[in-house]
Amino acid sequence: MKELEARLEAVLFAAGDAVSVERLANALGVATELVYETASSLASQYDFDRRGILLARMEDRLQLASRPDYAEDIRRVTESRRPPSLGPAALEVLTIVAYRQPVTRAFVEQLRGVDSGATVSSLAEKGLIEEAGRLDVPGRPILYRTTDAFLRAFSISSLEELPALPALQTDNEQLTLDDLADRIEQGSETPAEPSGQTPDASGRADPIERSGPAEQTERSEPSTQAEAPDREPSPSDEA
């Protein structure tokens, strides 16, 4: 076991980035279950000795990383700037993507009620979300999902560790994010979408991706008020 721990440690150190357990198992010539067991033993040793490094697990990938306790020391040596904190808008978008992924930008905008193009692009540049293919509807909008950087940033190993969403208080009731999304899917909170849309794998029909800001275009509706028929003027009218 000690030899396998040393081999795994060496491979992860040399890789620098996250490596899938399947790839590690093939490289080390062992079963994936043994890789998980060895990684767990290494992680326990690092934690028990309060080592400067830790073994992080992101879904089915492993990575050696520095311990957050020594971030200030590392920052002084590398002269790297503190990453900017996420604002309320970015956190809202990131929450929607994390809990409802994969989603399109248009679906995010439906939930938030405002244009979210700039925020989505910013999160993608920070590496917290990434493209996950395109939705099979006219226009083929991009689907987004969270990344390993998202898991590291929030110190979780899997999306299953995300906490339950709190209820959203409205005027008459409480809603969760899923409830609100379901209402949008059913068309109870948004106008009916144009025909020809195809729902995604979760049954959600996303609108065609817009290239510009989310705006509502006013349309002139035909007048439904019946015109009064012509009539002879009455004496009261002349008075």
Side-chain angles (χ1 to χ4, degrees), residues 42-124:
L42 268 179
S44 297
Q45 293 179 40
Y46 294 153
D47 292 340
F48 181 80
D49 296 334
R50 300 299 299 170
R51 299 279 295 277
I53 59 175
L54 55 82
L55 199 157
R57 176 179 172 183
M58 291 81 66
E59 298 288 354
D60 62 342
R61 294 172 293 279
L62 301 175
Q63 181 179 12
L64 285 180
S66 58
R67 195 170 294 276
D69 305 37
Y70 312 117
E72 289 298 330
D73 299 327
I74 296 172
R75 189 172 292 113
R76 284 193 290 268
V77 172
T78 59
E79 297 181 352
S80 61
R81 296 182 178 181
R82 182 187 298 273
S85 58
L86 298 177
L91 288 175
E92 286 180 4
V93 172
L94 194 57
T95 299
I96 294 172
V97 175
Y99 282 90
R100 302 290 299 184
Q101 60 184 303
V103 296
T104 63
R105 191 192 79 185
F107 181 76
V108 173
E109 291 172 348
Q110 279 184 301
L111 281 180
R112 299 188 66 227
V114 295
D115 174 61
S116 304
T119 306
V120 170
S121 298
S122 176
L123 291 173

Side-chain angles (χ1 to χ4, degrees), residues 179-223:
D179 295 332
L180 186 57
D182 290 339
R183 287 194 174 190
I184 289 181
E185 292 169 8
Q186 297 168 4
S188 61
E189 297 214 1
T190 57
E193 300 294 340
S195 59
Q197 288 186 330
T198 304
D200 62 9
S202 63
R204 175 172 59 255
D206 288 84
I208 299 175
E209 189 77 36
R210 296 186 299 272
S211 59
E215 297 179 352
Q216 293 183 347
T217 304
E218 295 183 358
R219 297 178 298 175
S220 58
E221 300 292 344
S223 176

